[in-house]
């Protein structure tokens, strides 16, 4: 059953579009001053130039912004905001910084080596709650993408009869041994998709399997040498396993939760407090980049070719582009065009930081024993998800806003989630820690 996603009302979208020019004039008028000294005024949006000098206090406090990213397809809007020069339009210069692991991203966000990051939703919430590392207040400025991850199983499992979750559970029950599965960070999205999928078929990931953490670009190499039976990771490392003939796609993450939240633009709360105009400007630039990527297949092709470079994802564009376009081959004989492929804008619904999305990760952290007590789910989400900054950035970028701050979904096990009773939801699963 498809989840019910908060719709964008016609008048809400119209107001957002009509208010875009006003929004830019209101807080981007001062960007001309920020870039004029660097000789970049000609690159600034004409509307911004028309309002130059009018609101200097709205200029970004910091104009060069270092944003960490992991080599994954869903870093695309951060990279393209820089490559296309959209960042200059908002008076900032994005400096993408390629990182080795999510732990490195976490540490550099916390110590200030990175200003912002393309980061796992669950990592932000984990650090904010003091799990998955030392505690520090972090912020989610926007969603960067929806969908587009996958759980890959080894060809050895396929040969043994494990084709999907149900057959994998049967195999694990009948052929007893240690089954190892990898994710990318203990509180991150990939861990939660992997756990949710296994549990939906009666497999307890904490008792019935060995779970390890592996950085995304190292997944394929580790499976090749037999270090794990399967893994959950972002693209293109699911497609790469098929290309290298070492595994197949057992399930996509969008089959687990259609239109699920994925990576976010994260920052420390104190960075945002000190640089609110910078946070708005960067959010607006990346929003516009996501809109550009989603605008046409040609733009997605160009994006795949760009991010394939060694300085970004470091693979060939052919490994990236098919799944980015929604064309799937599972490596086990099934091909399809996915109705819920990776999205970078989706009329703004891929980017809005829904409170219910953040709360969902907290419910899963509680479900699996990472949180020992129920937190105040809504209060934490309101603190972390900076909807105030997002709305101002959306107005500047001409992005539509949803009807509300919560949304409803139904996941692969048929259980509905709408954020209304998170404690009962977290405690209601049959398989949990």
């Amino acid at each position: 059953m498809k989840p019910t996603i908060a719709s964008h009302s016609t008048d809400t979208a119209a107001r957002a579009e009509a208010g875009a020019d006003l929004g830019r004039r209101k807080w981007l008028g001062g960007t001309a001053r920020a870039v004029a000294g660097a000789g970049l005024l000609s690159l600034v949006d004409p509307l911004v130039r028309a309002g130059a000098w009018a609101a200097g206090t709205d200029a970004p406090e910091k104009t060069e912004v270092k944003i960490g990213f992991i080599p994954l397809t869903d870093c695309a809007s951060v990279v393209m905001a820089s490559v296309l020069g959209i960042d200059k339009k908002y008076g900032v210069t994005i400096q993408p910084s390629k990182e080795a692991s999510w732990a490195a991203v976490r540490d550099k966000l916390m110590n200030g080596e990175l200003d912002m990051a393309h980061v796992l939703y669950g990592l932000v919430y984990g650090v904010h709650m003091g799990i998955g590392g030392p505690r520090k207040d972090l912020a989610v400025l926007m969603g960067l993408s929806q969908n587009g991850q996958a759980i890959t199983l080894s060809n050895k499992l396929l040969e043994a009869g494990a084709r999907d979750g149900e057959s994998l559970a049967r195999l694990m029950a009948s052929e007893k041994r240690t089954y190892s599965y990898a994710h990318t960070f203990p509180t991150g999205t990939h861990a939660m998709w992997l756990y949710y999928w296994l549990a939906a078929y009666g497999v307890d990931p904490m008792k019935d399997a060995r779970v390890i953490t592996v950085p995304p670009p190292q997944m394929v190499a580790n499976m090749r040498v037999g270090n794990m039976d399967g893994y959950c990771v972002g693209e293109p490392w699911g497609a790469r396993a098929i290309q290298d003939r070492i595994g197949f796609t057992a399930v996509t993450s969008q089959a687990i939760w259609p239109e699920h939240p994925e990576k976010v633009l994260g920052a420390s709360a104190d960075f945002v407090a000190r640089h609110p105009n910078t946070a708005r400007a960067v959010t607006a630039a990346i929003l516009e980049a996501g809109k550009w990527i989603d605008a046409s297949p040609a733009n997605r092709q160009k994006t795949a070719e760009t991010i394939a470079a060694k300085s970004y994802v470091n693979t060939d564009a052919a490994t990236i582009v098919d799944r980015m376009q929604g064309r799937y081959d599972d490596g086990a004989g099934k091909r399809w065009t996915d109705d819920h492929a990776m999205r970078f804008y989706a009329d703004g619904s891929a980017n809005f930081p829904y409170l219910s999305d953040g709360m969902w990760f907290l419910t899963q952290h509680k479900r699996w024993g990472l949180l020992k007590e129920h937190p105040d789910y809504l209060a934490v989400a309101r603190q972390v998800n900076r909807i105030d900054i997002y709305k101002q950035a959306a107005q500047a970028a001409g992005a539509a806003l949803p009807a509300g701050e919560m949304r409803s979904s139904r996941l692969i096990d048929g259980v509905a989630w709408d954020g209304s009773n998170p404690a009962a939801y977290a405690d209601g699963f049959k398989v949990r820690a």
Side-chain angles (χ1 to χ4, degrees), residues 43 65 122 133 147 162 164 175 233 287-288 297 320 331 333 340 356 358 379 396 416:
L43 297 177
V65 185
N147 307 323
D164 51 22
E175 296 188 15
V233 73
L287 254 174
E288 189 167 329
I320 297 173
H340 304 283
S356 53

Side-chain angles (χ1 to χ4, degrees), residues 169-191:
R170 286 200 304 268
L171 177 66
M172 291 179 66
S174 62
E175 296 188 15
K176 298 291 187 180
R177 65 173 177 84
T178 299
Y179 290 83
S180 297
Y181 302 103
H183 57 64
T184 64
F185 193 79
T187 63
T189 51
H190 305 111

Side-chain angles (χ1 to χ4, degrees), residues 237-254:
W237 307 118
R240 183 62 183 267
I242 295 167
Q243 186 181 62
D244 291 3
R245 301 178 185 277
I246 63 168
F248 70 99
T249 296
V251 66
T252 63
S253 56
Q254 56 265 33

Side-chain angles (χ1 to χ4, degrees), residues 176-215:
K176 298 291 187 180
R177 65 173 177 84
T178 299
Y179 290 83
S180 297
Y181 302 103
H183 57 64
T184 64
F185 193 79
T187 63
T189 51
H190 305 111
M192 299 306 112
W193 308 146
L194 177 64
Y195 297 170
Y196 202 101
W197 181 67
L198 289 171
Y201 295 97
V203 176
D204 187 330
M206 303 301 171
K207 298 176 181 177
D208 301 333
R210 172 176 173 260
V211 180
I212 60 176
T213 301
V214 176

Side-chain angles (χ1 to χ4, degrees), residues 250-323:
V251 66
T252 63
S253 56
Q254 56 265 33
I256 298 170
W257 179 359
E259 270 64 79
H260 69 75
E262 192 40 54
K263 306 303 185 300
V264 296
L265 180 64
S268 68
D270 54 4
F271 179 88
V272 178
R274 294 195 310 271
H275 308 91
N277 299 339
T278 300
R280 288 191 291 265
V282 172
T283 302
I286 295 175
L287 254 174
E288 189 167 329
K291 185 189 296 188
W292 182 88
I293 294 168
D294 273 8
S296 70
N299 287 0
R300 284 180 172 248
Q301 177 72 38
K302 176 63 176 176
T303 299
E305 293 168 357
T306 301
I307 67 174
K310 186 176 182 179
S311 55
Y312 301 121
V313 180
N314 191 24
T315 190
D316 58 287
T319 305
I320 297 173
V321 70
D322 276 350
R323 291 192 172 191

